[in-house]
Structures are given as structure tokens and as C-alpha cells.
């Protein structure tokens, strides 16, 4: 039974029993306490907590999840994986244990022809929480499971929570007995390799406060309703139903693994080390594909860091398998898209965009590997010269953090050199960095507010703040909550920085690339709050941040909220222009030019999109011309709500990685542009006035950024450019249209002159080569040349001089050292001929001695190496140090 069929049967079974089928939420979690969705119930948490009204009291879903705490174990075992799918059925205050347990048994043991999974009853075991007599009795008396196949377990095994404040409760797990060939008898408490967990039924009834560990947490009260949350791991079910030994041999993962083996000319099952790498590649390629599809981009923090690590581990393990060529990730990504496409059709639709991101990250990391290897070699040489048996933790961390060098690669290469790595020091530095990143992410999302405070504000506002900003720029409201310093306060006096929550507001909260509105909130008692920022830290909650500028703001006051209309209009022009430029680029470059971010500011916007390389200037000009032609036609801009399916049917563009509900808002500019969008826009395209594209640039692997001006800002820019062109034309005594040719000619002549100067300078440097060779010192039969070149001699000339002198000394062992100060920092080059290398002299080791004397570092090959430092005054000491080292051989 294929994975897609397992998911279909699960959802169909519960749909027939009154459950609403919910689509998988994005891996990007709405919950500010989560980096990524890591459990099937995570998108349902607001319903369990009573913060939002569920679309139905009974729901079911197949949810995408990513967990990475055990990422280092992926591949080493056949149980660990980063991406997985969780099938679940959920009850919000509807049924509880007495129905959830029989539902699970019926689906698991039901005949396959009738839509069940066909498990033999005698193969199934059950665990319950240690004091949950109710669940035990239902399993035994209502379902008929023998008491000897029902086992009790404690908090560590049979109490569920998310690891953060939120819902929790006892659970009951169902296990499948794979037989004596997989382990010893005695049920799950004896052997969880033989008895494989297939389903976890959580009886969610408690609200948890502080969570210190799996077994150490505070229960602060009962949930508003008793709920059911179940989780069935799709990959684990597939392993059982497909009759394979582990999740890596199931249909979707196996297709990627098998192709990786073929591309690297390896075979699964022959060599443990190769098997580990193949499993890493299979899991990580699938995980990376799913994360990119949900709009996550490789980066150095948060979700982007998780994705970057996953993709780079894939590339690294492909190289361990012998796959040295670029493009392997492209082919494996195609396999992952095909394998998962039946369940997630959007993967196929956005394949070009997914490829653009992953291909660029692969190319970037391959370049990183080349750079990192050079830095690693230098660190190893220094360690050996000092007689150290290991690389320091801070060196390994610098390789990882600065150069993107994976720690497992550092460990392996160090072992090849006979060195160990201070892993403990490395892990400590990594832990400190992760904690900083997590705290930064938490602070950024919540504005340093406690999540429980945000929950309380959302509850006070009636479940969701009503946004009125599409139709009005001011509105009467009520100040339902006031915070100062992150804590709820009843009042705040003049000068106090506050966060204010209204029950309804015209203020647009920053989102979808659009900057937040600014303005004022006038309160009934004469007080006023100047609003400088608006955020939505939780779905449905709008927080106005600013300062009390007059009087005393009091929670509960009547309010009049007024936005800065001119600012809103300017931002709306930018937002509409972004839609139009997006449409223009897709027409020019194809669907692979998918939006990857934007910022709509007053009079200016930036638009990020996926692309494999730089966009030609001619394309930028064509897009700009096309957009401005559309502006002249003054097309109507219309916004309306419809279903997601209807929006896609009419060709509305759903932005890559965005999350959408069943009902969506569509914004269209005539027939030119049609996108799903929650932002504010102008009434017609003519209100934009003019769009001026300033240029484009790279902002990361596979992502380009276009910046542009709109309206009066665009006109002012063109006016300034016209004055500048007129001044240049006057200075060069040519007509404006002749400027490019005249400037090109001046630049060409300047470059010719620079080349001539460089040639003369190089000849002057090399002219001393003969004299240096003739006057070489004899150090125990080794010819040694130590020379300081004139300041300003570039590094290339230093290398040419060193190799030229070495060539003149080919008849005997020779070491040539040339030092200079090309700019403001000293550089040293050492060249060693074959005869000297036979005497044990190596350029890389010698240059290390010189570079350390100069206060820096360096490295290279045995015959030629280069280093540098910070102390130019120490060049004489460096020459002497190298001379002593050569003389000591």
C-alpha cells in the first residue's frame, strides 16, 4: 500500500465519521514558540486553547512536520528522520476516549477491501498512562484487547505535550508486533524495536505552564474543553504495510535513496558507511524540497539555518559517496517532487522555483568546500607545528560558522591528518550560538512579550481584532488591552512606550511585505498614543506599538484610531507596483521567477525573486517599459474574496510558500496581474504615476533583488539624473546622447595606461631576480634568498619574483622568500624547489612561521605558499625566522 493511499484511507475513514478534512498547514509555524511545525496537532493548538473557533468540532488531517533536534542521528539509525507526515483525527470538545479508542481499532483492524488497514488483532498491543483506568477499561471491555496486551507506562512514555506551554494530557499508544525475529517478547515495555508504535491517542485535557522537561512541567488548569489529538506516523505505517524493514525502504524515501545510489555508483546494503550517507541524502533531499516549497530560504539563522544545514549535509554526503559533480541535487530534487507530488500537487506546480533555490545552494556550498579546505589545511599545519594533537574547538567553530564547513567534515579530515577535534568546545560554542539565535527569533516575533500575555490580549479582543483598513482610514474602537515593558497595565502616563490592542482598527499590521501603518489613537479622556509600528504576533491579534504623547491612556477607554493617510497611500502605490513588476518579470523570465520576498515602503519597494543568475539590463528596461505602458491605461485595481480553488482556477498567483485558508483575497490589476494578497492597494493603476527600476542584485544563493521607485519619488529621481547627465555633457563638451561613447573611450584609455604601468612595475620587480639568485646565502648546502620588495608591489608580482628566482636556482636545493606590503598589510611568499623538498623543507610550513611572526596566518602547497599578517614592521623578523628554520635542517 503506497504512502498516498495510506493517507487517503485515513482521511476518508474519518471524513465518513463526520470529520472535516483539513489541508496540511505550512511548515512555517504560526505559533511564535515554534520554529517549524513539529507535530500534527501544532496548527490546531489555537482551537484546543479556545483562542479560535474551529471550522468543525471534528477534524482530520495529514500534516507535514519537521524535527531536527536529532539531526546528527539521521542515517546512523533507520528510525530517525527530519521530515515526516502525521495523520491525525481531532475532536474539539466533542467526543473523548470512549469514541476515539474504538475509531482507532476499527480503522487499524478493518478489512482492506472495506477501507481499513487489515492489521491482525493479535499483533496489536496497547499502552496507557499509569493511572488511566478509564482508557484501560475501554480497551479491554469495549474493544476486547486482552489485559495481558495492555501495559501501563509513566510520564516519560504516556503523557504528551509539545515541550512548550500549551495543551497536554495522558495518552494511549498502539504498537504492532513485528515478530520474534525483531527482538524479545514482553510487549512495548520490553522491546520497542520488535513492538513498533503506530498510533498515539492523546487525551488532551490540561493546560500546561512552564515545561522544564518531558517529565517536569506545571499544570495550570483544565483546558476549556476535553479534546482528542491523535498522531499516526505515515512513514512508519508505510514500512509495516509495505512489508519493509524501515522507513528508508518505503516508497517515497526509497525512490530518492535508490537514485542517489545510482548517481554515485554505490549500492545500498553493502557498506555501513555508504548506507548512512545514502539515508542522510534520501531524508534531507526530501526535507529540503518540502521546506523550500513552503517558502523557507537558506540562511544563517532560524528556519533558514535549518534548511541550509539540511541541504549542505545532503551535498556533503553525496561527496562522501563519490558524487563530486554539481547538479546531483537537481536530479534528486526532481525525484523527491515526483515521489511526493501525488500528495502535494503544489510541488509539481512550483518545481522550477524549488530547483532554483536548491541548485543555487548546492553551487554555493561546493564553492564553500573549496575555500574551507584551504583554511582547514592552514589550521592543521599550525597545530602540527605546535605539536598539538587536536584542533581547538574555536577553530572548528570558525570553520563551521564563518565558512559553512560541516563539523562532520572537519572531524573526518582531521582524523585523516592524525588529529582529533575538541568537539566539546565546538558543541559549547554551537549551543551558545543557537541559544542566541532562538532568543533573537523569540524577541523578534513577540516583541519580548510573554506568549501567555498575547493569548490573554487575544481573548480580550473577542478572539480576533477586526481589521477595517480596507475601507476606512479612521474608526471608533475600544482600548481592550495596554502593555508597558511587556506586562499588562491598567494605565500608562505621558512618555510611556506601550503596546495597545483595540477591538477593531484601521491600522495595517506589517505583513506580506507591506510596512505597518503609522498614526494616532485618540482616547476619550483626552489622552493620545502616537503609533509608530503595528505587528500581528499571533494570528488574529493586532498590536499597536508607540508612545503616549498626551494624558494617561487607560485600558477600557473609548478610542478613535486614525492612520497617516499620505503614508498609507504611498505604501499602497508601492504594493500595487510590486504586483505589476512581479507580473512583468514572470512574463519576461518565466514561472521560475517566483517571488521570494518584498518590502513595500512609501515611494519605494524591493522585490525578491528566484533566479539562477543575474537579470540582463535589457530585461530590466523591458519590464519597466511594459509596466509603465500598463499604468498609462489606468486599469482598475479590484480586490475580492473567493475560495482558494476558484482563485487558482482563474489564474490568481499564490505566492511561493505563503499560507492560505479556504477563503482568500484576490487583488487584480485589470487583466495584467492577479495575485492572492492581504495588503492594501490603489484604486487604479494610473495612480502610481511612474515606476522606475533602479537595478537588481544578488541577495543570496538563487535569489535576486530588484529595487524601484514609485510616483513622485520616481519623478524626483529622474529629475536628479537629468541634471547629472547635463553636467557631465557640459564637462566633456559632448551632446547627451554621445556621453556613453565618450565615457567608454576615456575608460578604455585609462585601462590601457594602467596595464602599461603594471607591465613596467612588474619588469622592475623581476629585474632583481638574477642578482638575488647570484647572491643567495648558503645554509648547510641549501641556497636561501630572503628579499623585501618595495612597498606597493602587488601579491602577484611577489609570487612571480619568488618562482623566477627559484627557477634560477634549480641546480641545488633552494628556498626563496619574498615579502612586501602591497597595500596596508604585509604579504609573504615562499617557493621551495624539488631538491629542497627532498631535504624535508615545505613551503606551507615555512610560510606559517613567517605569517605568525607577522601576526597573521597562511598556507598553500609544499612547493609554493603565501601568507600575511598585520605587522609590516616585523617583516625583517619574519625573514630571519624563516632563515633560521632553513638553516636548522
Amino acid at each position: 500500500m503506497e504512502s498516498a493511499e495510506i493517507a487517503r484511507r485515513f482521511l476518508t475513514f474519518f471524513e465518513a465519521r463526520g470529520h472535516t478534512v483539513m489541508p496540511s498547514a505550512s511548515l512555517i509555524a504560526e505559533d511564535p514558540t515554534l520554529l517549524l511545525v513539529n507535530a500534527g496537532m501544532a496548527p490546531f493548538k489555537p482551537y484546543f486553547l479556545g483562542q479560535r473557533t474551529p471550522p468543525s468540532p471534528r477534524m482530520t488531517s495529514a500534516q507535514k512536520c519537521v524535527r531536527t533536534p536529532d539531526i546528527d542521528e539521521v542515517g546512523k539509525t533507520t528510525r530517525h528522520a527530519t521530515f515526516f507526515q502525521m495523520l491525525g483525527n481531532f475532536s474539539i470538545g466533542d467526543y473523548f476516549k470512549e469514541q476515539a479508542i474504538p475509531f482507532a481499532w476499527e480503522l487499524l483492524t478493518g478489512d482492506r477491501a472495506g477501507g481499513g488497514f487489515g492489521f491482525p488483532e493479535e499483533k496489536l498491543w496497547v499502552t496507557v498512562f499509569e493511572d488511566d483506568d478509564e482508557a484501560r477499561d475501554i480497551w479491554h471491555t469495549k474493544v476486547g484487547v486482552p489485559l495481558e496486551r495492555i501495559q501501563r507506562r509513566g510520564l516519560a512514555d504516556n503523557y504528551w505535550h509539545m515541550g512548550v506551554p500549551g495543551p497536554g494530557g495522558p495518552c494511549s499508544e498502539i504498537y504492532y508486533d513485528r515478530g520474534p525475529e525483531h527482538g524479545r517478547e514482553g510487549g512495548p515495555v520490553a522491546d520497542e524495536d520488535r513492538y513498533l508504535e503506530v498510533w498515539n491517542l492523546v487525551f488532551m485535557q490540561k493546560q500546561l505552564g512552564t515545561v522544564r522537561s518531558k517529565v517536569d512541567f506545571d499544570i495550570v488548569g483544565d483546558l476549556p474543553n476535553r479534546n482528542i489529538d491523535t498522531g499516526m506516523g505515515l512513514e512508519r505505517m508505510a514500512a509495516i504495510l509495505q512489508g519493509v524493514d524501515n522507513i528508508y525502504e518505503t516508497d517515497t524515501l526509497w525512490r530518492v535513496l535508490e537514485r542517489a545510489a545510482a548517481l554515485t555508483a554505490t549500492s545500498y546494503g553493502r557498506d555501513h558507511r555508504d548506507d548512512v550517507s545514502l539515508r542522510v541524502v534520501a531524508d534531507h533531499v526530501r526535507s529540503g524540497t518540502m521546506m523550500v516549497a513552503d517558502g523557507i530560504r537558506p540562511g544563517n539563522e532560524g528556519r533558514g539555518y535549518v534548511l541550509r544545514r539540511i541541504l549542505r549535509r545532503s551535498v556533503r554526503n553525496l561527496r562522501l559517496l563519490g558524487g563530486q559533480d554539481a547538479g546531483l541535487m537537481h536530479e534528486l530534487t526532481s525525484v523527491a517532487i515526483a515521489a511526493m507530488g501525488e500528495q502535494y500537487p503544489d510541488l509539481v506546480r512550483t518545481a522550477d522555483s524549488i530547483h532554483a533555490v536548491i541548485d543555487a545552494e548546492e553551487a554555493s556550498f561546493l564553492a564553500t568546500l573549496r575555500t574551507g579546505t584551504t583554511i582547514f589545511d592552514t589550521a592543521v599545519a599550525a597545530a602540527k607545528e605546535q605539536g598539538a594533537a587536536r584542533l581547538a574547538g574555536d577553530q572548528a567553530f570558525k570553520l563551521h560558522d564563518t565558512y559553512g564547513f560541516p563539523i562532520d567534515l572537519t572531524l573526518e579530515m582531521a582524523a585523516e591528518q592524525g588529529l582529533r577535534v575538541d568537539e566539546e568546545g565546538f558543541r559549547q560554542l554551537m549551543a551558545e550560538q543557537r541559544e542566541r539565535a532562538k532568543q533573537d527569533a523569540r524577541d523578534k516575533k513577540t516583541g519580548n512579550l510573554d506568549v501567555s500575555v498575547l493569548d490573554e490580549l487575544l481573548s480580550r479582543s473577542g478572539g480576533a481584532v477586526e481589521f477595517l483598513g480596507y475601507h476606512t482610514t479612521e474608526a471608533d474602537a475600544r482600548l481592550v488591552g495596554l502593555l508597558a515593558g511587556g506586562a499588562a497595565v491598567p494605565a500608562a502616563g505621558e512618555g510611556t512606550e506601550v503596546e495597545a490592542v483595540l477591538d477593531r482598527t484601521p491600522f495595517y499590521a506589517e505583513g506580506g511585505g507591506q510596512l505597518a501603518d503609522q498614526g494616532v489613537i485618540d482616547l476619550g479622556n483626552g489622552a493620545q498614543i502616537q503609533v509608530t509600528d503595528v505587528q500581528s504576533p499571533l494570528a488574529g491579534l493586532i498590536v499597536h506599538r508607540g508612545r503616549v504623547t498626551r494624558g494617561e491612556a487607560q485600558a477600557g477607554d473609548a478610542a478613535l484610531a486614525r492612520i497617516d493617510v499620505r503614508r498609507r497611500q504611498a505604501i499602497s502605490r508601492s504594493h500595487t507596483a510590486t504586483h505589476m513588476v512581479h507580473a512583468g518579470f514572470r512574463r519576461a523570465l518565466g514561472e521560475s521567477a517566483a517571488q521570494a520576498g518584498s518590502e513595500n515602503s512609501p515611494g519605494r519597494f524591493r522585490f525578491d525573486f528566484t533566479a539562477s543568475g543575474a537579470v540582463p539590463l535589457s530585461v530590466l528596461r523591458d519590464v519597466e517599459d511594459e509596466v509603465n505602458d500598463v499604468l498609462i491605461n489606468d486599469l482598475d485595481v479590484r480586490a475580492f474574496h473567493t475560495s482558494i480553488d476558484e482563485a487558482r482556477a482563474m489564474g490568481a498567483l499564490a505566492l511561493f510558500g505563503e499560507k492560505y485558508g479556504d477563503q482568500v483575497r484576490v487583488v487584480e490589476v485589470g487583466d495584467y496581474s492577479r495575485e492572492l494578497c492581504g495588503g492594501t492597494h490603489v484604486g487604479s493603476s494610473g495612480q502610481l504615476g511612474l515606476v522606475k527600476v533602479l537595478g537588481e542584485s544578488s541577495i543570496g544563493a538563487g535569489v535576486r533583488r530588484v529595487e524601484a521607485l514609485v510616483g513622485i519619488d520616481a519623478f524626483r529621481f529622474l529629475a536628479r539624473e537629468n541634471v547629472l547627465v547635463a553636467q557631465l555633457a557640459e564637462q566633456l563638451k559632448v551632446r547627451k546622447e554621445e556621453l556613453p561613447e565618450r565615457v567608454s573611450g576615456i575608460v578604455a584609455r585609462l585601462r590601457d595606461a594602467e596595464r602599461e604601468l603594471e607591465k613596467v612595475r612588474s619588469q622592475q620587480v623581476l629585474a632583481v631576480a638574477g642578482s638575488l639568485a647570484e647572491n643567495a646565502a648558503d645554509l648547510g648546502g641549501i641556497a636561501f634568498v630572503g628579499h623585501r620588495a618595495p612597498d606597493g608591489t602587488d601579491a602577484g608580482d611577489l609570487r612571480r619574483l619568488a618562482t623566477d628566482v627559484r627557477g634560477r636556482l634549480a641546480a641545488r636545493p633552494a628556498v626563496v622568500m619574498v615579502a612586501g606590503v602591497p597595500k596596508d598589510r604585509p604579504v609573504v611568499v615562499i617557493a621551495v624547489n624539488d631538491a629542497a623538498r627532498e631535504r624535508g623543507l615545505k613551503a606551507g610550513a615555512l610560510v606559517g612561521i613567517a605569517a605568525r611572526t607577522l601576526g597573521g596566518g597562511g598556507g598553500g602547497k609544499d612547493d609554493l605558499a603565501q601568507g600575511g599578517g598585520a605587522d609590516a614592521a616585523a617583516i625583517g623578523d619574519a625573514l630571519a625566522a624563516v632563515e633560521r628554520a632553513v638553516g636548522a635542517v
Side-chain angles (χ1 to χ4, degrees):
M1 189 180 297
E2 292 191 348
S3 295
E5 174 61 15
I6 295 170
R8 188 196 65 77
R9 285 182 180 237
F10 187 95
L11 298 175
T12 299
F13 176 88
F14 284 103
E15 185 177 28
R17 286 153 183 78
H19 293 66
T20 298
V21 177
M22 303 293 289
S24 174
S26 168
L27 287 168
I28 301 174
E30 285 189 0
D31 187 338
T33 65
L34 294 176
L35 196 64
L36 295 159
V37 169
N38 62 357
M41 63 74 60
F44 298 89
K45 182 179 173 183
Y47 306 140
F48 291 130
L49 292 173
Q51 296 170 345
R52 277 192 254 168
T53 302
S56 168
R58 297 185 178 197
M59 294 173 286
T60 185
S61 72
Q63 175 62 43
K64 300 173 288 188
C65 305
V66 168
R67 290 182 191 165
T68 57
D70 297 325
I71 190 172
D72 291 327
E73 298 303 312
V74 172
K76 297 177 184 177
T77 75
T78 56
R79 294 184 295 109
H80 289 90
T82 54
F83 175 84
F84 59 97
Q85 300 164 88
M86 194 61 71
L87 306 173
N89 58 289
F90 309 93
S91 166
I92 313 295
D94 188 8
Y95 62 84
F96 203 52
K97 299 177 186 178
E98 67 282 350
Q99 278 185 275
I101 290 173
F103 276 160
W105 191 259
E106 181 183 355
L107 177 56
L108 284 176
T109 63
D111 183 69
R112 290 194 181 187
F117 291 125
F119 281 82
E121 293 186 9
E122 66 275 11
K123 288 279 193 179
L124 297 177
W125 288 63
V126 172
T127 63
V128 296
F129 186 53
E130 53 193 2
D131 62 1
D132 194 349
D133 294 332
E134 181 186 8
R136 179 176 180 271
D137 291 343
I138 294 172
W139 278 116
H140 180 56
T141 60
K142 188 169 184 177
V143 174
V145 178
L147 288 176
E148 60 268 22
R149 294 212 309 273
I150 303 175
Q151 299 180 322
R152 295 181 185 267
R153 306 184 85 167
L155 285 171
D157 298 294
N158 276 68
Y159 200 95
W160 185 92
H161 58 74
M162 294 180 64
V164 293
C171 62
S172 180
E173 298 178 327
I174 308 170
Y175 290 80
Y176 174 75
D177 180 3
R178 298 197 292 165
E181 65 273 19
H182 292 280
R184 66 183 187 275
E185 295 187 7
V189 297
D191 190 338
E192 288 199 12
D193 283 329
R194 170 174 172 172
Y195 300 90
L196 196 66
E197 179 197 336
V198 296
W199 206 345
N200 187 10
L201 313 180
V202 178
F203 311 126
M204 195 182 298
Q205 55 200 70
K206 298 297 182 180
Q207 169 67 45
L208 276 55
T210 302
V211 177
R212 290 171 289 275
S213 72
K214 181 76 170 69
V215 299
D216 184 13
F217 49 84
D218 298 330
I219 296 177
V220 298
D222 293 329
L223 289 173
N225 297 297
R226 293 197 309 173
N227 310 311
I228 288 294
D229 156 35
T230 82
M232 173 190 284
L234 176 54
E235 284 75 13
R236 190 168 292 185
M237 278 291 290
I240 296 172
L241 293 173
Q242 293 171 16
V244 296
D245 190 55
N246 59 72
I247 63 172
Y248 286 96
E249 296 174 20
T250 58
D251 52 344
T252 56
L253 276 170
W254 179 252
R255 289 170 67 177
V256 183
L257 189 152
E258 187 177 40
R259 188 59 185 148
L263 289 172
T264 56
T266 54
S267 297
Y268 187 67
R270 292 185 181 177
D271 178 82
H272 174 71
R273 181 171 173 177
D274 285 353
D275 288 353
V276 169
S277 290
L278 286 169
R279 288 193 288 262
V280 170
V281 171
D283 171 77
H284 285 12
V285 167
R286 188 174 70 151
S287 296
T289 298
M290 302 303 292
M291 292 173 72
V292 172
D294 274 359
I296 301 170
R297 296 291 178 273
N300 293 325
E301 60 182 29
R303 302 182 189 97
Y305 177 75
V306 173
L307 174 59
R308 170 158 286 167
R309 187 179 181 199
I310 282 173
L311 293 178
R312 293 191 167 194
R313 278 171 60 91
S314 302
V315 176
R316 162 65 180 151
N317 279 275
L318 283 169
R319 289 174 66 83
L320 287 177
L321 291 164
Q324 304 294 320
D325 299 332
L328 298 183
M329 288 292 289
H330 185 96
E331 185 155 352
L332 292 174
T333 301
S334 294
V335 175
I337 290 171
M340 302 296 293
E342 184 176 350
Q343 289 176 254
Y344 305 100
D346 278 357
L347 292 175
V348 178
R349 184 176 59 82
T350 60
D352 288 347
S353 298
I354 296 171
H355 280 307
V357 174
I358 294 179
D359 290 354
E361 184 63 18
E362 178 189 30
S364 173
F365 185 50
L366 290 175
T368 290
L369 285 175
R370 290 189 288 271
T371 303
T373 300
T374 301
I375 304 300
F376 172 84
D377 290 342
T378 302
V380 167
K384 286 185 174 181
E385 186 175 329
Q386 295 169 4
R390 67 178 185 175
L391 290 179
D394 59 348
Q395 290 178 309
F397 179 74
K398 182 178 180 181
L399 278 165
H400 170 86
D401 189 54
T402 305
Y403 301 101
F405 221 52
I407 183 59
D408 55 348
L409 181 56
T410 301
L411 290 169
E412 178 184 345
M413 292 175 63
E416 292 171 354
Q417 296 288 333
L419 296 174
R420 293 179 291 106
V421 176
D422 177 13
E423 290 188 69
E424 184 177 344
F426 170 82
R427 305 286 177 199
Q428 178 63 35
L429 290 168
M430 282 295 295
E432 292 172 3
Q433 184 195 60
R434 277 195 295 269
E435 184 53 39
R436 287 193 299 270
K438 286 180 180 178
Q439 188 60 49
D440 288 347
R442 286 192 291 265
D443 292 349
K444 186 175 182 180
K445 287 183 181 181
T446 65
N448 292 305
L449 299 180
D450 189 305
V451 175
S452 63
V453 176
L454 299 177
D455 288 340
E456 174 63 22
L457 289 174
L458 191 60
S459 175
R460 286 190 205 172
S461 63
V465 176
E466 183 182 2
F467 176 62
L468 308 171
Y470 292 137
H471 309 295
T472 184
T473 57
E474 65 177 59
D476 292 321
R478 183 173 62 88
L479 182 61
V480 299
L482 195 64
L483 291 89
V489 294
E494 185 172 330
T496 306
E497 298 284 345
V498 295
E499 289 89 21
V501 176
L502 307 175
D503 61 343
R504 56 206 303 263
T505 180
F507 282 85
Y508 183 86
E510 181 178 349
Q514 180 170 329
L515 294 188
D517 282 331
Q518 296 179 355
V520 296
I521 300 174
D522 291 314
L523 301 174
N525 63 0
Q528 185 180 82
I529 299 173
Q530 185 77 37
V531 178
T532 55
D533 187 27
V534 187
Q535 296 293 324
S536 180
L538 288 181
L541 181 66
I542 298 176
V543 178
H544 307 74
R545 294 173 178 165
R547 178 188 294 270
V548 180
T549 55
R550 185 175 67 225
E552 182 180 65
Q554 297 181 358
D557 279 354
L560 175 64
R562 296 182 289 120
I563 69 170
D564 181 335
V565 177
R566 291 187 64 181
R567 173 184 168 83
R568 161 71 76 79
Q569 289 173 340
I571 292 174
S572 296
R573 285 193 291 268
S574 293
H575 202 157
T576 304
T578 300
H579 281 216
M580 298 180 70
V581 169
H582 186 191
F585 273 105
R586 288 176 71 87
R587 282 172 167 79
L589 302 175
E591 294 187 2
S592 63
Q595 184 168 334
S598 64
E599 181 179 281
N600 306 300
S601 310
R604 188 184 188 98
F605 70 90
R606 67 176 189 232
F607 167 68
D608 303 338
F609 60 99
T610 53
S612 58
V615 179
L617 183 61
S618 60
V619 172
L620 294 179
R621 296 285 78 84
D622 289 346
V623 171
E624 180 183 274
D625 288 346
E626 181 177 294
V627 168
N628 284 304
D629 281 343
V630 173
L631 300 188
I632 294 173
N633 295 327
D634 198 23
L635 302 179
D636 287 336
V637 178
R638 187 170 74 99
F640 58 92
H641 287 82
T642 186
S643 69
I644 183 66
D645 292 336
E646 180 62 27
R648 283 178 172 153
M650 67 176 64
L653 188 61
L655 297 190
F656 187 42
E658 282 291 326
K659 298 173 283 186
Y660 300 102
D662 291 334
Q663 288 291 307
V664 295
R665 183 170 181 262
V666 178
V667 175
E668 57 182 20
V669 182
D671 291 328
Y672 184 73
S673 168
R674 185 175 290 115
E675 289 190 19
L676 306 188
C677 180
T680 64
H681 293 269
V682 299
S684 66
S685 64
Q687 293 177 16
L688 272 59
L690 177 70
V691 173
K692 175 59 187 172
V693 175
L694 300 178
E696 68 93 43
S697 60
S698 171
I699 60 166
V703 183
R704 311 293 297 183
R705 169 170 292 171
V706 165
E707 298 191 66
L709 301 173
V710 187
I712 191 64
D713 291 87
F715 283 111
R716 287 170 178 160
F717 173 81
L718 291 176
R720 288 194 301 270
E721 274 209 335
N722 185 60
V723 171
L724 178 61
V725 169
Q727 290 173 340
L728 286 173
E730 173 64 25
Q731 204 165 34
L732 296 176
K733 307 301 181 184
V734 295
R735 294 191 301 272
K736 292 180 182 180
E737 57 269 23
E738 295 174 346
L739 269 176
E741 184 178 352
R742 175 59 64 89
V743 171
S744 178
I746 292 173
V747 170
R749 289 195 297 274
L750 181 60
R751 285 176 178 166
D752 288 342
E754 287 176 343
R755 280 194 290 269
E756 281 298 317
L757 285 173
E758 176 66 23
K759 185 177 178 181
V760 171
R761 192 161 47 238
S762 181
Q763 288 172 346
Q764 288 175 339
V765 170
L766 296 176
V768 301
S771 174
L772 291 174
E774 289 177 6
N775 295 293
D778 188 295
L779 304 177
I782 300 171
F784 176 74
V785 172
H787 173 67
R788 175 168 181 169
D791 289 351
T793 305
D794 68 30
D797 283 340
L798 295 178
R799 287 193 298 273
R800 282 189 286 273
L801 178 58
T803 55
D804 189 332
V805 176
R806 180 184 63 184
R808 296 170 186 263
L809 295 168
R812 52 184 171 144
V815 174
V816 180
M817 175 180 175
V818 178
V821 185
K823 292 183 180 178
D824 57 345
R825 296 171 68 87
V827 171
V828 59
V829 177
I830 295 180
V832 180
N833 65 10
D834 292 342
R837 291 200 299 278
E838 291 175 0
R839 296 278 296 269
L841 292 166
K842 296 181 179 180
L846 293 173
V847 90
I849 296 171
R852 281 190 295 279
T853 305
L854 296 171
K861 299 180 180 180
D862 291 348
D863 63 333
L864 184 66
Q866 179 176 320
D871 185 6
I875 287 179
D877 294 337
L879 288 165
V882 173
E883 184 173 357
R884 286 195 298 271
V886 174
V889 174

